[in-house]
Amino acid sequence: MELAYIPSPSHGVVHLGPIPLRGYAFCIIIGVFVAVWLGNKRWIARGGRPGTVADIAVWAVPFGLVGGRLYHVITDYELYFSDGRDWVDAFKVWQGGLGIWGAIALGAVGAWIGCRRRGIPLPAWADALAPGIVFAQAIGRWGNWFNQELYGKATDVPWALHITSSTDGRVPGYYHPTFLYESLWCIGVGFLVIWADRRFKLGHGRAFALYVAAYCVGRGWIEYMRVDDAHHILGLRLNDWTAMVVFLLAVTYIVVSARLRPGREEVVEPDGDTPDGDAVVLDKNADSKADSKADDTADDEADDEADETTGKKPDGKKPDGKKPDAKTDTESDEPGQSKESLESPEAEEPEESEKSVEAARGEAESAKKV
């Protein structure tokens, strides 16, 4: 008898009247909320708008659930389509069975659709969501504890998982809690991605690729400890091979992307904010401002030309330096200066002045049209 161990819940579901509350489903739902919450904070910090992550998650989450279930059913088809099995059980997601590989792959398709509708680059959105996704996986793994599934080899360590169910080929006993190992590993990966993203300013999908690569490393050795039925290729479980292939693809993407597109995106969302809080100016807004400025410049040039033609200076003074409203007709700047001496020669030729004004107006109108 083991003196220290992790007990398993006697039931994975609690009924609230006619409504079943399943532990596995609760873990998945809580994980989704954590991923969206953290992803939204990171998206805003990168210059995006609040709510965008949730809007795209409306597409990504259903696609991810379908993809995760499809991967599980395809790779473990004998659980649903062999003799004595009911194929309808393939639709009972709450009983467990979501493959992370299918969830990420098809979830990315849903996210791509959502990003395309919003005019957002998918890699930038994935970078913001990466730590949240792996934290969601850490929470979701506890659903396996409620279902007493996906445990490891028999052991006598103090943290051994006590399996009490004997259904579906289970043998009661004490086993490695591989669900706990993977949960803790995912938490470590999440903090690693957050640190690396801050330290190296990861962008263009590299933060997401780092999450994928780091998760694959842990999944490899944890998968090796599991004892549940699985397909084997050359002595290794199928998920081990999948982890190795995906790891190599993720590392390759990090290296190639860093060379082709170093740094991080300056703008992640149209009409969003830059990381320092300043509004992002769209190209069309910049063009409209430039056009308005050009029109103002043309108007100013036309007015200056009109002023020169009528004999006025840009500051509103006449050529002799007298301000139009500064003095009355009976006053002069110097003692003894008569009214006649202040009169401008322009007053003696009103007809020529009017013609000049009309000509200047015509030239001004032409300049505005140009």
Side-chain angles (χ1 to χ4, degrees), residues 19-362:
I19 303 175
L21 304 178
R22 304 182 185 277
Y24 187 89
F26 266 112
C27 291
I28 298 298
I29 293 172
I30 294 172
V32 170
F33 273 103
V34 169
V36 172
W37 170 78
L38 181 58
N40 184 66
K41 291 177 65 69
R42 287 173 51 82
W43 182 253
I44 294 173
R46 287 172 175 257
R49 300 173 61 184
T52 296
V53 169
D55 291 343
I56 298 175
V58 171
W59 290 89
V61 172
F63 274 74
L65 290 175
V66 173
R69 189 60 175 177
L70 282 175
Y71 182 89
H72 168 72
V73 172
I74 292 173
T75 55
D76 292 311
Y77 62 90
E78 65 278 358
L79 298 177
Y80 308 99
F81 303 105
S82 60
D83 294 338
R85 299 286 183 169
D86 187 359
W87 63 271
V88 177
D89 291 342
F91 297 96
K92 298 179 180 180
V93 180
W94 56 87
Q95 293 183 353
L98 291 175
I100 186 61
W101 315 111
I104 294 298
L106 204 57
V109 175
W112 175 81
I113 295 174
C115 289
R116 184 177 178 84
R117 290 168 61 89
R118 297 292 294 265
I120 295 171
L122 176 60
W125 186 84
D127 283 341
L129 207 66
I133 293 177
V134 73
F135 286 143
Q137 288 180 241
I139 298 172
R141 273 305 174 197
W142 284 86
N144 302 133
W145 175 67
F146 281 101
N147 289 347
Q148 297 195 37
E149 60 185 2
L150 305 186
Y151 45 86
K153 301 175 182 179
T155 183
D156 57 357
V157 296
W159 56 88
L161 176 65
H162 186 199
I163 297 296
T164 58
S165 174
S166 59
T167 60
D168 295 330
R170 296 183 181 90
V171 177
Y174 299 91
Y175 301 90
H176 276 288
T178 51
F179 82 92
L180 177 61
Y181 299 160
E182 185 168 338
S183 179
L184 295 176
W185 182 269
C186 287
I187 292 174
V189 171
F191 284 114
L192 170 65
V193 173
I194 292 174
W195 171 82
D197 191 31
R198 293 177 178 176
R199 175 66 177 81
F200 302 105
K201 301 295 182 182
L202 301 177
H204 302 285
R206 288 187 288 276
F208 184 83
L210 175 62
Y211 140 65
V212 172
Y215 171 75
C216 288
V217 173
R219 181 61 184 266
W221 66 266
I222 293 171
E223 188 74 19
Y224 183 76
M225 298 178 64
R226 284 167 50 173
V227 295
D228 54 300
D229 293 334
H231 295 284
H232 288 72
I233 301 176
L234 299 178
L236 288 178
R237 294 166 65 96
L238 175 61
N239 282 332
D240 278 324
W241 286 105
T242 305
M244 287 189 289
V245 172
V246 175
F247 170 80
L248 293 175
L249 292 175
V251 172
T252 302
Y253 180 87
I254 293 174
V255 174
V256 175
S257 176
R259 292 180 179 178
L260 297 179
R261 293 180 295 178
R264 182 184 290 176
E265 299 89 345
E266 294 293 335
V267 178
V268 296
E269 181 175 7
D271 290 331
D273 293 331
T274 55
D276 59 359
D278 296 332
V280 175
V281 181
L282 297 179
D283 292 339
K284 60 181 181 181
N285 292 337
D287 293 341
S288 62
K289 289 183 178 181
D291 294 340
S292 177
K293 185 176 180 180
D295 293 340
D296 293 341
T297 303
D299 292 341
D300 293 341
E301 293 178 354
D303 292 341
D304 293 342
E305 186 175 353
D307 291 339
E308 292 177 0
T309 306
T310 57
K312 295 181 180 180
K313 292 185 177 180
D315 58 0
K317 295 182 180 180
K318 291 184 179 181
D320 60 355
K322 179 181 176 183
K323 296 181 180 179
D325 298 330
K327 301 287 183 178
T328 63
D329 292 339
T330 58
E331 293 178 345
S332 62
D333 295 334
E334 298 179 2
Q337 189 174 6
S338 63
K339 174 182 177 180
E340 291 77 10
S341 63
L342 295 175
E343 293 181 352
S344 172
E346 296 175 357
E348 298 177 359
E349 299 177 357
E351 296 181 357
E352 294 181 4
S353 178
E354 292 177 359
K355 293 180 179 180
S356 300
V357 171
E358 293 177 357
R361 289 177 178 174

Side-chain angles (χ1 to χ4, degrees), residues 1-16:
M1 178 179 179
E2 296 291 334
L3 297 179
Y5 59 87
I6 300 174
S8 294
S10 58
H11 300 284
V13 57
V14 177
H15 288 83
L16 185 62

